Every structure is written in structure tokens, then in C-alpha cells.
Amino acid sequence: LPAPATKTKSQSRPCFSENPKFHSSASAGKHKMKEERERGVMARSLAMVAVHIHLGAFLLGTPGSFALVPPRPRLLSMASLLTAPSHVSSHGPAPLTSQSTSLSEAEALDLISDDAYAMDISSITEGSEKETYIGQGSGVNEGTGIGALSGFVQNIVGKILTRKNRPVYDKLWTIIEDDLLAMVKESVPELSPRRTWFSEPGSTPEPYTFATADGKCDGTVSCYKGGRIDWITTCKFFSNKLGFGNMRIDGWTNRDTRAPHMAVHLCIVFNVIFIYISLVPRANLLFDDEYNDYVYGTPKEALNGKQLNDLHIQCVEDKAFKQYVSKSHVVNAFMVAPTTLLYTIPYNKKNFNKVRDLSIGYVRTWLDMLAEEDGPLMKGVDSKETQAELLRLDVRTRQFCGRDPDTKNVVGIFGPEVTDKLVRTLWGDPDDNVW
């Protein structure tokens, strides 16, 4: 676009410090007339600039818009698990305007273009994989759990644990698949299957089954998208060698609402259930009391008038629930939801039903929040500033498994290539350039 003509010194309005003091009404009147003439010149100049801007925007196919952002190269969802990324731009994101309610793809990619949004497992604290619940008890790591046993004894113990834990694993999976996912599908009819990172573009969406070379540990991952759910996955695997199983459902909310994300992770090690159940906030709770109170401290119809905090207190006071405290500062930093349930519980029918009820309660509450059309969860979602804040927070939240010590344990079982694609699938849609 042609630049406006440069003003001469006589046309430029002097700054305040250069204005002389006027002691007579005549000189004051002359100065007022001079200011009015200058304002007229400036108004006409600005009008011409506006005409040029809108004309140029119209010719480019975007009438009324002048904040054109050039497209950026497609970002990888996750760098190689073994090497640091080299393609990421180091410059800061471009400033945003508030004139549109949604971010363009180019703006979204620009916001997450620096190194803070590119992660690989080289950032995981060395040795921390041995401190997780799975890392300690499952035998994945040599010298921990049944991994400390000799090969012959380990095989015998593994077979015993498999015979004991596999039925529990299958029963826990009914919570994930038959209760939680079924409830999500019923509540969000727009939800449809999507392809994983293991499949090629354009392929038919279907669950992907992965396994170790010896076939002694196998698993399945499935993914869906629709409505206000940007991405939801279910994933499970069981080791017939070590006799333990792990499963999860993770629901990532899109930016049409500030409703939290959802996670329910269940694991069986020995005869103990490990649970991580949470609605992960999408606001800074130190600054947003309204969000904190509404999500975690307000009675919910899905909980029969209880608060999420009531369920938290219920677990704290239940002697069967032993709170699990991670030794990892990275894991503890991620536990920002005040009602996160992180516990171990001996398996029996009564405790199984408790875990099932808690899981259903959290997911049902999440689905009700997704459906809300006003209130604290819709506050500011129509501004680009809020959209940008949610995007940055969502990407960092979903990238947590890039620093999660248990990701190294998965590498130890399935290898880096399978783990890479598995982590990418848990992160987001392979057909969405953000991921």
C-alpha cells in the first residue's frame, strides 16, 4: 500500500513543551484557528490512509481487515523423542487485535512458534521414571518392583500377577469404555472417530493396536472429535510379562468455552488400583477466584448438589484411599486443580464401585460445563486475547506428557518410535496443523 505523504515541520502539531504561553486573547484566538486548520489536515490525511487500507484489503480478498498474517510452516506436534527440534522460530508472537472472535490458523501457529511449545523427553529429569507409581512397582525399570527379581523368579511372579490382575484390568476398562466414553458420546452427538498418528492422512478412522516385539505387552488407542470437544482419546495397555495394566480417557476442551479439560487415568499394579482423576483448569486460579469457586466449589446437579471439593474431601477422609505424592517437581507442578484425585486403593468390589462413581461424577460434571452458554466459563471467549491465552495454556497442558517421567517408562516398554506416535495421538488431531 502507498505510504501517506510525510508531514512538513509547519504541518506537524508541536508537542506540549514547545507551545508558547499566550498572554492576550488575540494571540490565543490565532493559535486556536491554527490548531483547527491542523486538525482538518490530519483528519483528511487519516481518511485517505483508511481508504487505501480498505481498498488494498478488498483487493486481497479480506474486506474490512488489515491485520494480514502470512502463513507459517506447519509445526510438528512433538519433536523427536531423542533429538531437540531445529525448525522452531525463536521470535515472539505477533500482537493480536480484538476485532475478531477467533484466531486464524496463521495467528495460532505464530502464538506457539517459540521453543516453549516444542518439547521432547530429553527434558525429563534423569532417573525420575523410577519414582513414579508404575516405575516403582511394575518392574518396568531394572531394580524396582518385580524388576529386582531374577529372570526365572520374575517370570513366575509375572504370570501370577497376570492371572490376578488381568480380570481387574478388563473390569476397569468397562469404566473407561462403557461408562465414561459412552456417556460422552450420548452427551455430544457431534462426536466422531478420527485417525491416530499411526495412520496415514485420508485413511479410515479406527482404533490402533500397538505391541512389543515379543507380543507380551499390547495396547489400543482411539480418538474422537466434535462439538466443544477438540480431542478426546482412550488408551490402554497390559503387560502379560509383568502383570500390570494402565488405561486412560483424556478430554481436551476447545476454545468455544473456558470449561476445564478432563482426565481419568486408572492403573492396576499388584492388587492395588492407582487413580488420577481431574478437571484441569484453564485459568490461573490465583487470579481468577470466580473460576475457582464456580468449577470446584459450587454445587453441581451432576453430583446431586455436591461440589467437586466435596468429592475431594470424601477421598481425604476415606481410610481406604491413600494419597499418592509424587517425588517429581514436574508432576507436582502439573497438579494445579484443587480437587485432583491422586490415590492408591486396594482392589475389592466396594472400592471398585467407589472409583467408578468418582469417575462418572467428574465426567458428568465436565459434560454439563461444556454445555453451558453463559456464566464464568463463557467469560471473554469472544475476544482474541482470551483465545490466545487459552491456546497457549492448552498447548502447554496437553504437552505435559513430554515431561512426564512415565513417558520414559513407556519408551522402555514400546520403544521411542511407538511412544512418539502414541504421545502425538494423545496430544491432538494429526489433521490439525496446531498439533
Side-chain angles (χ1 to χ4, degrees), residues 139-157:
V140 171
N141 297 294
E142 186 177 350
T144 63
I146 70 170
L149 304 175
S150 65
F152 176 75
V153 177
Q154 184 183 114
N155 288 336
I156 294 176
V157 173

Side-chain angles (χ1 to χ4, degrees), residues 185-372:
K185 288 180 177 179
E186 182 180 358
S187 178
V188 186
E190 308 95 321
L191 206 67
S192 61
R194 295 301 174 99
R195 72 181 184 93
T196 71
W197 276 87
F198 292 95
S199 60
E200 295 298 324
S203 60
T204 302
E206 58 185 2
Y208 181 81
T209 297
F210 50 94
T212 54
D214 60 9
K216 292 183 178 180
C217 186
D218 62 348
T220 303
V221 61
S222 304
C223 34
Y224 309 84
K225 187 184 184 85
R228 288 182 172 174
I229 298 177
D230 185 67
W231 195 244
I232 187 167
T233 59
T234 61
C235 184
K236 65 174 181 176
F237 68 83
F238 188 87
S239 172
N240 291 302
K241 177 181 178 181
L242 301 173
F244 83 98
N246 189 39
M247 63 195 68
R248 59 196 288 168
I249 181 170
D250 298 281
W252 304 115
T253 307
N254 71 12
R255 298 195 301 277
D256 292 339
T257 171
R258 296 170 68 225
H261 300 305
M262 175 274 293
V264 176
H265 299 185
L266 308 175
C267 181
I268 181 68
V269 177
F270 290 100
N271 198 39
V272 176
I273 303 173
F274 172 84
I275 68 169
Y276 164 65
I277 304 174
S278 186
L279 297 187
V280 182
R282 298 169 76 211
N284 188 331
L285 301 186
L286 289 175
F287 290 95
D288 200 334
D289 290 337
E290 182 184 35
Y291 188 100
N292 190 1
D293 293 342
Y294 182 76
V295 173
Y296 305 105
T298 301
K300 297 289 188 286
E301 183 179 343
L303 301 176
N304 297 318
K306 290 185 177 181
Q307 310 167 6
L308 285 174
N309 198 56
D310 292 330
L311 301 190
H312 162 67
I313 294 173
Q314 175 183 313
C315 293
V316 169
E317 295 179 346
D318 191 329
K319 293 182 180 180
F321 284 66
K322 182 180 179 182
Q323 191 167 21
Y324 179 78
V325 180
S326 174
K327 295 181 181 180
S328 169
H329 66 283
V330 175
V331 173
N332 289 332
F334 183 73
M335 301 300 162
V336 290
T339 62
T340 291
L341 307 181
L342 196 61
Y343 289 92
T344 59
I345 312 102
Y347 172 74
N348 56 46
K349 185 177 180 179
K350 182 179 179 181
N351 288 341
F352 173 86
N353 289 331
K354 289 179 182 179
V355 170
R356 181 175 181 266
D357 290 344
L358 289 168
S359 302
I360 291 174
Y362 269 65
V363 174
R364 185 172 288 149
T365 300
W366 176 64
L367 290 171
D368 283 356
M369 290 182 188
L370 288 184
E372 293 180 10

Side-chain angles (χ1 to χ4, degrees), residues 42-54:
M42 181 175 294
R44 287 192 294 274
S45 298
L46 290 174
M48 289 301 295
V49 171
V51 169
H52 282 302
I53 287 172
H54 284 273

